[in-house]
Amino acid sequence: MADGEHGVLDEQIAYYRARASEYDEWFLREGRYDRGEEHRRSWFGEVATVEAALAEASPGGDILELACGTGLWTRHLAAKATRLTAVDASSEVIAINRSRVQSPRVRYVEADLFRWTPSATYDFVFFGFWLSHVPLDRFDAFWTMVRRALRPSGTAFFVDSLAAQDATARDQQWETDGIVERRLNDGQTFRIVKIFYEPSGLTTRLTALGWTPDIRATRNFFVYGHALTR
């Protein structure tokens, strides 16, 4: 990985640490992300579609959650897991997650996912809104790590963002794939990696890597699905 890319990835971690207390505003469509009642109905209807798909994928047993964030998805996984290992590079979001979920089944690991490897295998691996932050030249290596984390009959499930301009803050300049700028409520700006995917392209890439994927998209906001090893 080039030195410049390392710098952006370190800045990406700094962004999510600084953003921890306001992250949920994005998901809950509050503050700078509030675009009105019709938008919220559409957003949360699509969230419900993804949540139903996650339930249908039958998470259970030993679960690994990558980039666990503030616990918006951890809460669903913890209810189904025998044990759940939740990994994130930000101690700030882990603290929020721990407070939200409050489950003895969850073990938290603070680690940079680009420098971390799992020491165990799992029945189910989940990552929400993380794949878009993996540089393109790290895509194959990331999915290799996921494969190594899974037991032979395991499932990988993810959800991420479609390229929807109205999913960003009202005052956020729209930028497409690559290294983009994101701003906090206090005006601080950070560079992060943001790669948008469509189901067809992801299906092609994952099939070439030896996965059997089932990738879908909601109408406006989310790409999601599961993949099995072959």
Side-chain angles (χ1 to χ4, degrees):
M1 187 184 295
D3 290 342
E5 190 172 87
H6 268 304
V8 172
L9 296 180
D10 289 342
E11 193 168 335
Q12 182 167 266
I13 292 174
Y15 169 65
Y16 280 101
R17 293 190 66 182
R19 190 187 175 197
S21 64
E22 60 190 68
Y23 178 86
D24 288 359
E25 293 178 7
W26 170 79
F27 190 79
L28 299 176
R29 301 284 91 188
E30 296 174 346
R32 296 161 55 221
Y33 305 93
D34 183 353
R35 292 178 178 266
E37 185 58 35
E38 183 177 349
H39 174 87
R40 279 193 295 274
R41 281 198 300 270
S42 177
W43 177 273
F44 288 113
E46 295 184 26
V47 168
T49 296
V50 178
E51 290 174 337
L54 175 59
E56 289 172 8
S58 300
D62 290 331
I63 298 178
L64 172 64
E65 183 180 10
L66 303 173
C68 63
T70 62
L72 294 164
W73 298 94
T74 313
R75 56 186 175 174
H76 300 307
L77 299 170
K80 303 292 186 180
T82 303
R83 289 180 298 271
L84 170 59
T85 300
V87 185
D88 202 285
S90 166
S91 59
E92 292 83 355
V93 299
I94 286 175
I96 295 170
N97 189 312
R98 192 189 303 273
S99 177
R100 168 175 272 143
V101 177
Q102 297 186 36
S103 173
R105 299 189 187 99
V106 184
R107 179 178 72 95
Y108 293 95
V109 177
E110 182 182 339
D112 177 355
L113 286 174
F114 294 113
R115 299 178 172 94
W116 177 83
T117 55
S119 59
T121 57
Y122 301 87
D123 301 299
F124 197 92
V125 175
F126 174 88
F127 38 103
F129 305 101
W130 169 248
L131 185 61
S132 58
H133 299 308
V134 175
L136 287 174
D137 63 359
R138 299 289 295 171
F139 182 95
D140 291 6
F142 170 72
W143 282 96
T144 296
M145 184 269 281
V146 173
R147 179 190 295 275
R148 289 173 178 164
L150 279 173
R151 292 169 184 164
S153 59
T155 300
F157 189 103
F158 78 96
V159 56
D160 219 300
S161 300
L162 290 173
Q165 185 171 356
D166 58 349
T168 62
R170 296 189 308 273
D171 58 355
Q172 177 69 53
Q173 179 180 348
W174 174 247
E175 298 177 272
T176 55
D177 283 354
I179 297 173
V180 303
E181 183 179 274
R182 288 290 185 264
R183 187 172 68 83
L184 300 180
N185 289 343
D186 65 5
Q188 291 185 81
T189 60
F190 298 80
R191 296 173 304 155
I192 67 168
V193 175
K194 191 66 178 178
I195 308 295
F196 295 105
Y197 292 99
E198 294 286 342
S200 59
L202 266 180
T203 297
T204 297
R205 292 198 68 170
L206 291 176
T207 300
L209 291 176
W211 293 86
T212 301
D214 182 1
I215 312 299
R216 306 178 186 187
T218 59
R219 181 174 181 179
N220 298 302
F221 301 117
F222 307 120
V223 58
Y224 67 98
H226 67 268
L228 308 175
T229 58
R230 291 204 307 254

